[in-house]
Amino acid sequence: MVAGSFLDRLVLGELPSTLDESGRYFIDRNGELFEFVLDWLRTAGDERIVKRSSADVLERLRIEADFYGLDDLAAACGAP
């Protein structure tokens, strides 16, 4: 969905990865916040995904967005 992002590079084999016994990628990040990341990608960046979040969640989500290389999501979370 986002060229050059962490997930894009991961599935293209450009990053080293760890797979579990079922062949699924293991990403050692916050699973609750990953739900926001997936929703963001699934809705092509619909800002309603983050609008109702608390300041604490937005701050933590901005860190996740930076990790995943999702600049638009990081911007939607507000200034650091």
Side-chain angles (χ1 to χ4, degrees), residues 32-64:
E32 290 179 24
L33 294 173
F34 190 66
E35 183 178 334
F36 285 97
V37 172
L38 286 178
D39 286 346
W40 180 264
L41 294 171
R42 288 176 178 144
T43 62
D46 187 335
E47 290 194 13
R48 290 178 292 179
I49 298 299
V50 298
K51 290 270 188 216
R52 288 177 244 137
S53 301
S54 69
D56 176 61
V57 169
L58 289 175
E59 183 177 336
R60 293 170 50 223
L61 183 55
R62 187 174 33 259
I63 292 167
E64 294 300 294

